Amino acid sequence: MVKKIALEEHFLSPGFIDYWNPTSVDLPAAKREQALARLTDFGETRLAAMDRAGIARAVLAIAGPGVQAERDPAAAVRNARAANDFLAREIQKRPDRYSGFAHMPMQDAKAAADELERCVRELKFCGAMINGHTHGQYLDHPSLAPFWERAEALGTTIYLHPIDPVAPSPALEGHKGLRRATWEWGFETGSHALRLVFGGVFDRFPRAKVALGHLGETLPFLLWRFDSRAGPDFYAIKLARPPSHYIKQNFVVTTSGMCSAEPLNCTISALGADHVMFAADYPFESVDEAGHFIDTVPLAEKVRADICFNNAARHLGLT
């Protein structure tokens, strides 16, 4: 069993259950209750699951959408701060096992930037997780430049996590099995990431760093096509570099919800093994399955150790 740092370990703080409940409607009642119990546990249940999978440290983040569902910007700022303070107190109880991603009130770019800096400098969090768009505003919006400027200055990784699209895709109508985690979230989050690339965010903030789950939400498999269509023979997108450059330089990805050798190998080939990190997506995926997969999938042992531990330690400043 290889020593691991696990990203995408979710939790809920007091008062955040109402934000989460609407997103849990697809879960059977028994599974919803089980997930809720695990989301609010920071003790033996979570630690035992970590131990079974060889997880030495978990990076905890609010289960979405959190305050991004809030219509009142002032309430979003206030509640995000409270959630971050709550997480900091839980980490202080087990600093040897837990680290944290900050929760961001993206309704107010300046407030989000200030809260990010507070969380990194004072609470010692190792990054932030943003749950997709905020009431239809994506992260390439010009008004969010103060947030990206601060994130770049802090050298902080921003984990872009899936959320429901602004409107359900008509292409999926009548096929509930394709909604959300099956296909809808991957398309939504991959498209969001591409907005950052094609919108020139990384030309303006070249040292900004974004993390994507699910082995990059299909982006590593389409690099040639992005470059081809952005080029002068098609859409002539005004970027300093081809899209693949930004995907390789400004993104890191995790293995969350992807226990299959073929996409893992493709992602390693496309982005490099140093850009891939282990993630558990606890409690929505089986941490035992995720741990067993990465322990046994055919990989060079140095690559396995890097994906399981060393890359997260380097990208997030963890030990």
Side-chain angles (χ1 to χ4, degrees):
M1 186 180 292
V2 181
K3 183 180 179 183
K4 302 173 185 71
I5 294 173
L7 281 71
E8 239 189 280
E9 283 244 354
H10 301 284
F11 78 97
L12 284 174
S13 62
F16 272 61
I17 294 172
D18 288 343
Y19 287 136
W20 177 73
N21 271 336
T23 71
S24 69
V25 293
D26 287 345
L27 295 173
K31 194 166 185 177
R32 189 182 313 133
E33 290 303 314
Q34 182 185 65
L36 182 57
R38 291 176 177 175
L39 286 167
T40 53
D41 168 71
F42 295 85
E44 292 310 311
T45 300
R46 187 185 294 268
L47 290 168
M50 291 168 59
D51 290 342
R52 290 196 307 271
I55 296 170
R57 178 174 296 277
V59 180
L60 305 179
I62 281 275
V67 301
Q68 288 177 252
E70 181 62 61
R71 290 290 178 179
D72 178 1
V77 173
R78 183 173 62 251
N79 292 342
R81 185 183 180 95
N84 291 326
D85 287 342
F86 171 83
L87 178 57
R89 290 192 297 271
E90 292 297 332
I91 292 172
Q92 286 172 0
K93 297 174 185 176
R94 292 304 306 261
D96 57 324
R97 303 302 300 273
Y98 296 146
S99 296
F101 274 157
H103 189 48
M104 295 285 92
M106 298 310 297
Q107 295 89 334
D108 184 329
K110 173 64 164 54
D114 290 344
E115 180 64 7
L116 178 65
E117 183 162 3
R118 184 183 79 92
C119 288
V120 170
R121 296 197 185 280
E122 297 180 20
L123 304 185
K124 307 304 180 184
F125 287 0
C126 60
M129 179 176 283
I130 296 177
N131 295 294
H133 64 84
T134 303
H135 302 301
Q137 180 172 276
Y138 290 86
L139 292 173
D140 62 315
H141 195 277
S143 68
L144 297 179
F147 176 80
W148 284 113
E149 182 178 18
R150 195 77 59 88
E152 181 184 51
L154 291 166
T156 303
T157 297
I158 305 300
Y159 199 119
L160 181 56
H161 189 267
I163 197 65
D164 289 342
V166 177
S169 170
L172 306 183
E173 188 65 36
H175 292 275
K176 183 179 179 181
L178 294 176
R179 296 288 184 192
R180 291 189 153 174
T182 308
W183 180 248
E184 190 173 35
W185 284 345
F187 169 76
E188 168 73 14
T189 310
S191 298
H192 195 161
L194 287 174
R195 290 179 67 111
L196 301 178
V197 173
F198 280 67
V201 169
F202 302 113
D203 281 344
R204 297 188 292 277
F205 306 102
R207 297 186 307 280
K209 185 72 73 173
V210 175
L212 294 173
H214 314 112
L215 291 176
E217 311 290 4
T218 74
L219 267 60
F221 318 126
L222 293 165
L223 297 182
W224 178 89
R225 192 163 183 84
F226 297 147
D227 290 352
S228 170
R229 270 47 187 180
D233 293 336
F234 285 89
Y235 296 114
I237 304 300
K238 294 182 179 179
L239 294 172
R241 303 287 185 89
S244 63
H245 170 85
Y246 306 102
I247 296 171
K248 292 177 179 180
Q249 295 300 315
N250 296 94
F251 286 87
V252 291
V253 305
T254 75
T255 62
S256 63
M258 296 290 282
C259 297
S260 178
E262 294 84 359
L264 175 61
N265 290 332
C266 183
T267 302
I268 291 171
S269 178
L271 304 184
D274 59 335
H275 280 60
V276 183
M277 300 180 287
F278 176 74
D281 205 1
Y282 177 91
F284 305 113
E285 300 284 352
S286 167
V287 69
D288 301 272
E289 183 177 9
H292 177 73
F293 165 71
I294 203 64
D295 281 337
T296 59
V297 64
L299 290 171
E301 289 309 311
K302 182 184 183 306
V303 171
R304 192 188 317 278
D306 286 346
I307 291 173
C308 286
F309 191 94
N310 298 331
N311 292 342
R314 178 167 54 88
H315 287 299
L316 302 179
L318 299 173
T319 57

